[in-house]
Amino acid sequence: MLRLLVPDSCYPSLYDVDLDELSRRGIRGLILDLDNTLAEYANAAVPPRTRAWVQEAKARGFRLCITSNARPQRVKAFAESLGVPGIAYAVKPVRRAFRRALEILGTTPQETAVVGDQLFTDVLGGNRMGMYTVLVNPLSTNELGTTRLMRRLERRVLRHLVRRGMVREEHWRVREGRAGDA
Ligand SMILES: [Mg+2]
């Protein structure tokens, strides 16, 4: 069970995700979280860096699909602006939306990576599907009260997983914002 909470890789942000590494692993489809991964929570603006990153990923041949627990209006706005399909009310970590995303992407779970900022929705959901999971740090600290509670739980779980040798120290440092520490 705990295994399902272990991300395959960790990066400080979406912009740091090593797309070459994903290609080498045979990944062709990316399921992208919206809030605090592609854009700041509750902010309607598409960050220019996100736009550039999406273009770069597309140019490298990746197929993308936004899969978010947010409401349809918000997901649609980002999906249209970025020119990628979007699934709203995903209820991650429930598998249904991930299955739908695979249909849209036309990829198998083995060829698909989930990129998101939350352990209990993005990483857990992706791992349950047998996908490659990429945990990124949230773009902003502006979050729902319930999400903040989850953050505290996330930290405790990750600490536990590091102690048990299930999460790499290196990944833990990235998550704690101390990637540069020796
Ligand atoms: Mg998120």
Side-chain angles (χ1 to χ4, degrees):
M1 169 58 203
L2 275 178
R3 205 170 36 82
L4 293 176
L5 291 169
V6 179
D8 291 301
S9 57
C10 277
Y11 294 98
S13 79
L14 171 77
Y15 317 120
D16 300 301
V17 173
D18 188 344
L19 291 173
D20 287 331
E21 168 68 11
L22 292 180
S23 287
R24 275 196 298 274
R25 288 179 177 277
I27 302 295
R28 299 191 301 120
L30 302 177
I31 292 177
L32 304 168
D33 172 53
L34 172 55
D35 284 312
N36 274 340
T37 297
L38 289 175
E40 290 185 6
Y41 171 74
N43 187 335
V46 178
R49 283 187 83 183
T50 293
R51 196 176 294 287
W53 187 89
V54 164
Q55 268 160 12
E56 170 74 16
K58 281 186 193 171
R60 286 171 184 240
F62 287 100
R63 297 182 199 171
L64 314 177
C65 183
I66 297 172
T67 305
S68 168
N69 287 352
R71 57 197 161 68
Q73 200 186 356
R74 178 165 169 80
V75 175
K76 191 164 176 258
F78 279 91
E80 281 178 359
S81 177
L82 292 168
V84 298
I87 298 170
Y89 284 156
V91 207
K92 293 177 282 185
V94 171
R95 279 171 286 200
R96 191 171 53 100
F98 289 102
R99 292 203 186 97
R100 234 179 95 207
L102 286 181
E103 278 171 32
I104 292 170
L105 292 168
T107 54
T108 63
Q110 292 73 29
E111 298 170 322
T112 310
V114 176
V115 184
D117 70 295
Q118 289 201 55
L119 208 57
F120 302 109
T121 55
D122 306 306
V123 172
L124 178 58
N127 282 339
R128 288 181 77 204
M129 291 291 295
M131 294 171 179
Y132 190 81
T133 51
V134 180
L135 183 66
V136 296
N137 291 346
L139 274 185
S140 83
T141 51
N142 180 21
E143 300 185 300
L144 283 172
T146 50
T147 307
R148 282 203 204 111
L149 280 176
M150 292 309 263
R151 292 292 179 205
R152 257 183 269 168
L153 192 56
E154 269 183 7
R155 287 192 71 187
R156 288 181 58 175
V157 167
L158 280 170
R159 248 196 312 259
H160 179 73
L161 291 172
V162 168
R163 266 191 242 117
R164 290 189 52 165
M166 294 173 75
V167 163
R168 279 151 63 184
E169 286 271 351
E170 173 196 343
H171 286 169
W172 167 243
R173 281 198 296 272
V174 168
R175 194 62 179 172
E176 291 287 296
R178 307 194 313 231
D181 295 7

